[in-house]
Amino acid sequence: MQIWAFRDLLRRPFESLLLGITLTLTVAILGTLLLFPRALHDTLNTLLTSTPSIVLRRLDPTGFCPLPVQSSVQAAENVIGVVSVRPRIWGLVSGPQGPLTMVGILDDRLPEALAGQVTRLPGPGEVIIGFGVLAGQSADTLQLEGKISRQYQIIDRLPQGTSLFTHDLVLMNPEDAGQLIGLDRGYACDLAIDVFHESEQGAILSDLTAAFAWPVACVTRLQSQGLSAGRLNRLRTLVAIAVIPAVLALCLLVAVNTRKSMGRQSDLGIMKAMGWTTGDIVWFQMYRELFVCLPSAAAGICLAFVLVYGPGAGLLADFFLGWTTLPPSLYLEPTGAATVVLEVTALMLVPVIVSAFLPALKGATADVHDMINDAGSR
């Protein structure tokens, strides 16, 4: 049965090839539109789960301003429920290929996510860079520009496996970091505060605010997750609008294919005259459609994965989000990706099964002589 179905496809090779290419591109577009919001959701969740419970920043009439390290850490540690307090020096600076995230390493302690990833901490005039900072280049120095412009010696590069967190990251000595963003000695940009239980994040905000002698603003991890979820919901709405034409195109494509199959009743009439049963014809039609649709669906899904999780992710990020430089690699969560694959596969197989059944069911009730003499057979 499979051989007959394959030979029937070879009778019309260009038509079968054109159908396969069209299905591949349609599935690739549909899969990409469904995978991209899912990949962003999984990536943001992975990033936010590793962030501090609370980020505290000092306020003045002009907005955020640096806070004194010693008195700020002491005030935060006196609040009941606080487990740890870490002052942070960080900021955005200009690099050779666009803006970069600069982090000064305080107290000779690397972030937990980078433990064991570098051989030594950067000293004065030295930096450790992420995988995407100088992608494709083997330079030994890095030119950074903030409040000052200076060249730094690259002593190490973070592995590609950490690029989800470190794609555009530059680690440097805290003294160099302060000079680069115009921060005085003994001051930090903010405090990273961890609490014992996640439910305590909102409960101690009032105590934290009261513990400081100046106005402060606190943002919890839960608030950040809620803000990110709201932005993703808006993106999903835009993607849903784009998915509708892709689904309609797929349905129209299958409908045209079904109409062509319905017009070839003479072929089915000859099969019935040779002793084929209705069940044999249904399986013949099924195999003929699956020989085209399954490889096309597989190729389309693979292309969608490459566009979302591979080098092509930068094109999607530029189109949907306006990212023009240093697009980070998106996180692949197997369960979520498998759900999208099943959705796309179902959208493909259901119309294919219908297009295989309808011609066979029509032929089951038709006269063999009339089917053979059908004018629209070939």
Side-chain angles (χ1 to χ4, degrees):
M1 194 70 64
Q2 295 92 329
I3 296 177
W4 283 100
F6 186 71
R7 292 178 65 182
D8 187 69
L9 289 176
L10 295 180
R11 292 173 56 196
R12 305 173 182 88
F14 294 107
E15 181 181 317
S16 301
L17 180 62
L18 182 61
L19 176 62
I21 294 175
T22 307
L23 285 174
T24 298
L25 295 178
T26 305
V27 171
I29 294 172
L30 188 59
T32 299
L33 293 175
L34 293 174
L35 273 175
F36 187 61
R38 184 74 199 191
L40 281 178
H41 176 270
D42 296 336
T43 302
L44 287 174
N45 274 350
T46 303
L47 289 172
L48 290 175
T49 52
S50 62
T51 58
S53 301
I54 301 171
V55 174
L56 182 145
R57 303 191 71 177
R58 181 182 178 182
L59 295 175
D60 66 7
T62 62
F64 295 117
C65 63
L67 45 79
V69 172
Q70 186 174 357
S71 58
S72 299
V73 170
Q74 184 178 0
E77 289 177 340
N78 290 333
V79 176
I80 298 176
V82 172
V83 176
S84 66
V85 181
R86 302 186 308 276
R88 303 191 304 184
I89 297 178
W90 66 279
L92 294 178
V93 295
S94 298
Q97 300 179 6
L100 301 173
T101 302
M102 177 276 302
V103 175
I105 302 176
L106 295 173
D107 300 329
D108 295 332
R109 291 186 303 177
L110 277 173
E112 294 181 3
L114 302 179
Q117 303 293 339
V118 296
T119 56
R120 67 183 180 89
L121 297 178
E126 298 176 337
V127 294
I128 300 173
I129 63 174
F131 182 79
V133 173
L134 292 175
Q137 301 184 24
S138 58
D140 295 328
T141 59
L142 177 67
Q143 184 75 26
L144 296 177
E145 183 175 353
K147 294 294 184 180
I148 62 172
S149 180
R150 183 180 173 184
Q151 198 169 55
Y152 298 88
Q153 183 72 27
I154 300 173
I155 62 170
D156 204 350
R157 297 171 186 256
L158 297 170
Q160 186 177 2
T162 66
S163 61
L164 179 63
F165 302 90
T166 65
H167 187 77
D168 65 340
L169 185 65
V170 177
L171 299 176
M172 61 172 49
N173 183 273
E175 300 294 333
D176 291 341
Q179 294 175 6
L180 194 58
I181 61 175
L183 193 67
D184 295 333
R185 183 189 296 270
Y187 282 77
C189 298
D190 57 29
L191 296 181
I193 301 173
D194 289 318
V195 297
F196 181 75
H197 196 274
E198 191 171 11
S199 61
E200 298 177 352
Q201 294 178 16
I204 69 170
L205 291 183
S206 58
D207 295 336
L208 274 175
T209 303
F212 288 84
W214 50 79
V216 295
C218 299
V219 178
T220 67
R221 183 191 303 145
L222 294 177
Q223 290 173 339
S224 298
Q225 290 174 337
L227 181 62
S228 300
R231 292 176 177 173
L232 281 179
N233 287 335
R234 290 193 292 271
L235 176 62
R236 286 194 179 100
T237 302
L238 295 175
V239 170
I241 296 174
V243 166
I244 293 174
V247 174
L248 292 177
L250 180 61
C251 294
L252 181 62
L253 188 62
V254 174
V256 171
N257 189 49
T258 303
R259 182 177 177 83
K260 288 183 178 180
S261 297
M262 296 283 280
R264 295 170 183 160
Q265 291 294 302
S266 65
D267 295 343
L268 304 184
I270 294 173
M271 294 176 184
K272 292 190 70 174
M274 294 174 60
W276 285 40
T277 65
T278 301
D280 293 334
I281 294 176
V282 169
W283 280 111
F284 169 79
Q285 291 283 101
M286 186 77 72
Y287 283 127
R288 192 168 68 87
E289 300 294 337
L290 291 179
F291 278 149
V292 176
C293 293
L294 286 183
S296 300
I301 291 173
C302 290
L303 182 58
F305 269 83
V306 171
L307 287 173
V308 174
Y309 297 106
L315 300 176
L316 298 177
D318 185 17
F319 181 78
F320 286 110
L321 303 175
W323 296 350
T324 56
T325 56
L326 298 177
S329 300
L330 298 180
Y331 176 70
L332 174 60
E333 203 280 316
T335 304
T339 302
V340 174
V341 171
L342 291 177
E343 291 174 355
V344 175
T345 303
L347 287 173
M348 277 285 294
L349 290 183
V350 171
V352 166
I353 293 173
V354 173
S355 67
F357 268 105
L358 289 180
L361 293 178
K362 179 182 178 182
T365 57
D367 182 78
V368 175
H369 184 268
D370 293 338
M371 295 172 65
I372 294 176
N373 292 330
D374 186 0
S377 58
R378 299 169 187 257

